[in-house]
Every structure is written in C-alpha cells, then in structure tokens.
Amino acid sequence: MIQARPHCPTIVVIGGGFSGAAVVSHLARSARRPVRVRLFEPSRRLARGIAYSPTGEHLLLNVPASKLSVWPDKPGDFASWCASTGRPVEPGAFLPRAWLGEYAEWTMSSALRECDASVEFDRLAERAVAVRRRTDGALDVLGESGVEVGADQVVLATGHGQTKIPPAFRHLAGDPRLITNPWDESLLSQAARRSERLLLIGVGLTMMDAAISLARAGYTGEIVALSRRGLPSHTHGPSDPALHKEWAAALGGGDLMSLTRAVRERAGSHEWRGVLDSLRPHTARLWRSLSHAERQRFMARLSVYWDAHRHRCPLETAACVALLRDRGVLRVGASTILSVNDRAGRIEVEHREKRSGTVTREAFGAVILCTGPEPDIAKSRSALLESLIDSGEIRRDPLGLGVDCDEHGDAITRGGRPNDRVTLVGPLRRGESWESTAVPEISQQAAAIAPRVLKRLDLTVPIQNAHQPIKEIIR
C-alpha cells in the first residue's frame, strides 16, 4: 500500500483519457492548498482514451477546432495550441483526432507545472479494480497489481465502456473475426488482407471512420454497412445558433411531444443545424425535465434521429464515404439482423431489409462492430464498477445509460443518497444529462467538479512541509 503523509488530502482520478486529463487540469488550476492527486490509467499515453488514440490523421474530429478546449472560458484554446506547435489552422477546420489527444496531455502537464498550490501528482499505469470504504469514511482504491491507494475523494472518469455487442453476435465474442475496436489499425489491416467481403454493424460516424480506414489500408473488396434504420450521420454545414438563442432559452420542458413539435416547427422554417445547435446549452435542462417514461420513449423512438442530426460529420469525411459508395465499394442499408451463423469459416448473416421486407443471407469474412460503447454498466464487465455497485457506493442509472448521479455529478448510492466521496465526469453521466460524451460538455463538467471536490476537503489550514515536486509513479 502507498503510504500517504498525514493530513494531506488525496484525490484519486480513475481513468486517464480526455475526461481524466480534464479533471486533473482543472484540479491543478483550482487548487489553492497542498493536495495529492493520483491517476489510474493503464494506457501508455494519457488523455487519449478510445476516442483520441488512433494515430491516423485521416480520422477527423466532428467538432470544429474553434469549439474545442479543456477550458470552457477559453473556447479556442485547441486551435491556439495547434498554431503554437507549428500547425496553424482555420478556426472552423476539422482536425485529426490524434491532435486533440496531444493537446489534452500537454494541457494537463502544463497545468500541473504552473499550478499555484502544491499539487503532488502520481500516475499509476494500471487499472483500478475495486474501491473499499474504510471505517472512517475514506476510501481505498485497489489496483490490479495489488497496490492500494487511500482516497478522500474519488472521481470516476472511465470514459466509454466496451463496444456494444448486439445479441445476434454475442456468441462470437472473442472470435477474431468479430472486431470490436473499429479504430484498431492493425485489426482493420488484417481484415482488409484476409476478407473479400466485410460487414459493418452501425452506419454512423464510427462506420465512416472504419470504411475510410479500410480503404486507406488497401481494401479492394465489398463493405456492407447495416443498421436497423440505416440513418447515416448528416454533414456539417452553415449554422447560426445565435439566431435561435432566445427561442431555445424559452423552451419549456416536461412534455416530450410538445418539445418535439416545437423543434420540428422551428427547423421547418429555419436552417435546421442552427436550431439544433442552439439547444446545446439547454439539453441537460430539458432532459432532466422529462419523466422516466418520456426519457424511455425518446430513447426508443427519437434518439437515433437525434444522433444522426446532432452528431454530424465533416464534409471531408462525407465526401470520402460518398466516393466509396459511388465506386460500389460501400453499400449502406437498413436491415434487422435475424440470425448469425458460422458457415465454412465465414460468418453468414441473415437479415430482413426494412423497406422491402426481403430476407437475405450473406457471408462475410469478418464483422466490424460500429455500434458504439455499451452504456449499461450492468453489461460492462468492469471489475471496478461491479465492486462499487456491490458495496453500494453507486447504482446503475435507471435507463441503463451509466451510473445514477445528481446534477452535480455525485454518484447516487444504493440507498438513494448522493455520495459525497464519489463523483462522475464524462459518459458515465449520460443518464443524468444525456449529452455527456463530447469535449465541450466534459470540459464544463470538469470545470464544475474540480472546485466542488476541493471545497469538500479540509484545506483551510496550511499543511506544513507538504511541498513535493510533481512526479509520476509507473507501476
């Protein structure tokens, strides 16, 4: 067990992707007294996570550079950093994902170096697998190596969970022909070399990335992309959310049908992108106003349309996908998967087309899941989350969208009370605020969480001899 010096508060951040890096950055910026911050992250590079670990510069962000920043009060910080590193860009440009990961890591390191207070930072290069409460109310975080770290506060910033595996494909889990990481360049290259036909499940932004990556890997076979509704992501275009600012602020909540009607009417008489973008500051408020039943109704009937319009792709990405479709390399369709079987070493998929009702059987060399992460922590197969649930420190979100929490991000315990020791940031909060996966929302959450967590700690009395240089422990 790592021994902590007496009386020095310790914050443990679990997860070192963009969410965790943003939290550490804001803790360093907000701290005014000595505090110890310990970060659990097994990946070699920090601040990447699933979203920003791909190195291929053809994989673009779907948000303009001018709107990306760790600091909500400095919205153009990412673009400014690009310019400072010799990569001057237009503010409205859509840049490589890998660049944002570099920026977030640099921002965290800079914040730690420049912080006014004494922040002792340790990085543990392993997974946290359990959290236990002591008799005095503090927590112990257990790493997979057996290391145990005492914590006064824990911030769960674990990011996206494992890829969602549709029921029809679950019997293939672990089969190398079922690729669950569509950004793994090595796996995609292997699939491109070995398969004449590939099936992509899902037709959104992830499918676009995978199809483009396969083409760049030299794939010359056929790619089939299917989803139940076959709705690909729309493209970015002109948007003036300021035009709808007052309208969006005046929207009342509580009635899904009225909200849907109001948005459709506004979008019918104005450019729809600006209408949807004007909702962004109000999405959490409107989501919270809906009853559990209305949230379920939205997820079942409207969320797929929301995602297709809200999470748009750059024109460059759309153009590449259009070219693949025009060349006959990529076919996108709407179908329901009926069965999946192994036939002579190939994966045979039976599916029913939405429009015609025609049932078709097709064989593929491999299947690439572009279904997005599994939000339901009951299906996440995470030892850490299972430990927290079993101990009653957290509970599953009622909609299966992550961890139940209040509007401040404090986890709700098994008994229904806010947990003053465990706070959430990022995708785990989706059930509470719906939009909790994009950089602007995560940065805002981190900015609000950091001073709140620090305020809970008894930092009013100066701690003698607590100053230590920033260091990193690799285990």
Side-chain angles (χ1 to χ4, degrees), residues 10 17 30 36 62 76 97 118 136 140 153 174 179 218 244 250 282 295 306 322 352 357 390 405 408 415 425:
T10 300
S30 302
R36 189 176 285 111
N62 68 319
R97 291 186 179 198
S118 171
D136 63 0
D140 285 324
Q153 294 280 311
I179 299 174
H244 313 283
H282 307 284
R295 293 182 189 185
W306 171 267
R352 182 174 59 247
D390 291 344
C405 67
H408 303 295
V425 65

Side-chain angles (χ1 to χ4, degrees), residues 121-415:
F121 175 73
D122 297 337
R123 182 272 179 100
L124 293 94
E126 61 179 287
R127 288 182 176 82
V129 296
V131 176
R132 300 167 181 163
R133 186 173 287 263
R134 301 178 192 166
T135 55
D136 63 0
L139 303 171
D140 285 324
V141 182
L142 181 67
E144 59 188 348
S145 70
V147 65
E148 200 170 300
V149 179
D152 297 286
Q153 294 280 311
V154 169
V155 179
L156 293 179
T158 54
H160 293 293
Q162 298 182 36
T163 297
K164 184 190 303 181
I165 303 179
F169 293 92
R170 285 177 187 163
H171 67 285
L172 292 176
D175 190 312
R177 295 171 300 172
L178 183 70
I179 299 174
T180 59
N181 184 351
W183 293 288
D184 189 314
E185 297 173 13
S186 174
L187 292 178
L188 292 185
S189 294
Q190 291 177 31
R193 290 194 302 269
R194 299 174 182 174
S195 306
E196 295 180 359
R197 302 185 78 232
L198 292 170
L199 174 63
L200 276 56
I201 299 297
V203 301
L205 294 171
T206 304
M207 178 277 289
M208 295 179 172
D209 284 349
I212 294 172
S213 294
L214 286 166
R216 288 178 62 88
Y219 186 65
T220 58
E222 182 185 11
I223 303 171
V224 178
L226 300 176
S227 73
R228 285 185 301 166
R229 293 183 177 87
L231 290 174
S233 298
H234 288 275
T235 59
H236 278 285
S239 174
D240 186 7
L243 181 65
H244 313 283
K245 184 176 180 180
E246 293 183 4
W247 168 82
L251 278 176
D255 184 346
L256 180 61
M257 184 176 294
S258 297
L259 277 173
T260 304
R261 186 184 303 115
V263 173
R264 284 176 173 168
E265 289 176 355
R266 188 77 177 184
S269 57
H270 297 80
E271 206 290 315
W272 64 266
R273 292 177 179 84
V275 174
L276 278 191
D277 290 346
S278 73
L279 295 174
R280 192 160 191 170
H282 307 284
T283 302
R285 170 180 65 84
L286 296 173
W287 176 256
R288 291 166 186 152
S289 75
L290 299 177
S291 67
H292 178 76
E294 296 233 295
R295 293 182 189 185
Q296 285 182 312
R297 191 173 297 115
F298 173 85
M299 290 172 57
R301 301 181 183 180
L302 299 176
S303 63
V304 65
Y305 300 100
W306 171 267
D307 288 343
H309 289 79
R310 167 70 180 80
H311 301 289
R312 305 189 287 274
C313 70
L315 289 173
E316 300 95 320
T317 300
C320 290
V321 171
L323 183 61
L324 293 176
R325 297 182 73 169
D326 291 343
R327 290 178 175 174
V329 174
L330 173 64
R331 187 179 94 228
V332 179
S335 281
T336 298
I337 305 298
L338 302 177
S339 66
V340 177
N341 297 288
D342 193 336
R343 300 287 188 219
R346 306 186 76 194
I347 300 175
E348 184 183 82
V349 177
E350 183 181 52
H351 60 95
R352 182 174 59 247
E353 296 177 9
K354 180 182 178 182
R355 290 186 178 179
S356 67
T358 302
V359 175
T360 304
R361 288 188 182 88
E362 299 185 78
F364 302 93
V367 175
I368 303 171
L369 296 183
C370 303
T371 48
E374 174 57 70
D376 191 345
I377 62 173
K379 303 175 183 176
S380 67
R381 305 183 296 281
S382 165
L384 171 68
L385 295 177
E386 289 176 2
S387 161
L388 286 162
I389 290 174
D390 291 344
S391 64
E393 297 290 345
I394 67 171
R395 68 182 184 187
R396 174 181 176 269
D397 173 74
L399 292 169
L401 290 175
V403 175
D404 197 11
C405 67
D406 64 15
E407 63 181 20
H408 303 295
D410 291 339
I412 302 298
T413 66
R414 181 193 296 150

